[in-house]
Amino acid sequence: MSTIRKSFSSLGLLGFGAFGQLMARHLQPHLPLVVCDPARPALPDATGWGLVPGSIAEVAACDIVVIAVPVDALAEAIAGLRPHLRRGTIVLDVGSVKIEPARLLLAELPEDVEIIGTHPLFGPQSARDGLKSLKIALCPIRGDSVRRIAAFLRRSLALDVILTTPDAHDRDMALVQGLTHLVAKILVRMEPVPRRMTTRSFELLMQATEMVRHDAPGVFLAIERANPHARAVRERFFAHAQALTDALEQDHQPVQAAGAAVEPAPGPSVPGIPALLQRSILPELHTEP
């Protein structure tokens, strides 16, 4: 058993969509779960250990509370949890963007509640064969429990834990997720595509498309609209594409995108982000526990 079992006795899960169900399946062997989602009621675990349907108050009474709702529903979820949270509770969100959720959690939750922003860098499709070596980002926001949470994720779930900040996370995800979903959306609109006479590279591209094709519409909107770095990445991408188009349409011109947008300078660039959400992670936090 992991060290988290010695420190925490229950986990409350607010939201039981596709990702909430994935979480519940992998967390059930490790500690009891209380699940609340009026739109998708969970069935009780007949063994009495693992999964119990509950109210939002019962979820909030757990030692760890995971908010697994769409980003645009986060404010409502926080408002429902806030009156019931106990001192020392650890609250995590699992959204695909981190700056705005971190700001909301800091502003709306009681000061005696710990906060960790998380983003599992996988979904039901990529985790269908298990969680081993899949990645999860952790953003320490308030409190000292991030080490214990990271240790549990590494030792019990075999996840690759990445400690980062909300700003650094959103900057990277604007490119990693933003372009993946953008290209996938375009490829789907270009269907039908060849399925027999294909190259391996094309097959891999279509495999990536299939992994995100059936994501809820809110996921794409959160990635592209709620991430303050996403627009700049889109503009760079389409600028490079336009430069290549211009070069291809000119006679005897080299195919390059020399005139495309300039790469952004490193460092925080979004005005209004609290310094806490942009701070550097201390090197010792990367040390294996």
Side-chain angles (χ1 to χ4, degrees), residues 196-214:
R196 184 179 180 190
M197 193 180 303
T198 59
T199 62
R200 183 57 180 154
S201 57
F202 180 79
E203 291 167 1
L204 291 172
L205 187 59
M206 292 311 299
Q207 285 179 24
T209 298
E210 290 301 321
M211 291 175 71
V212 301
R213 177 195 289 268
H214 301 294

Side-chain angles (χ1 to χ4, degrees), residues 124-190:
Q125 288 296 318
S126 50
R128 60 189 173 186
D129 296 325
L131 300 183
K132 185 176 181 180
S133 299
L134 295 180
K135 299 177 182 180
I136 183 169
L138 297 189
C139 301
I141 305 301
R142 186 167 67 205
D144 301 318
S145 293
V146 68
R147 292 181 184 275
R148 287 183 292 170
I149 298 297
F152 168 71
L153 295 173
R154 289 188 182 109
R155 295 171 181 171
S156 297
L157 301 184
L159 290 169
D160 179 4
V161 178
I162 301 169
L163 292 163
T164 185
T165 66
D167 184 59
H169 169 277
D170 283 5
R171 186 185 300 279
D172 286 351
M173 287 301 104
L175 186 66
V176 172
Q177 278 194 309
L179 286 191
T180 300
H181 283 254
L182 192 65
V183 171
K185 288 285 186 184
I186 293 171
L187 283 172
V188 168
R189 293 189 179 192
M190 294 179 70

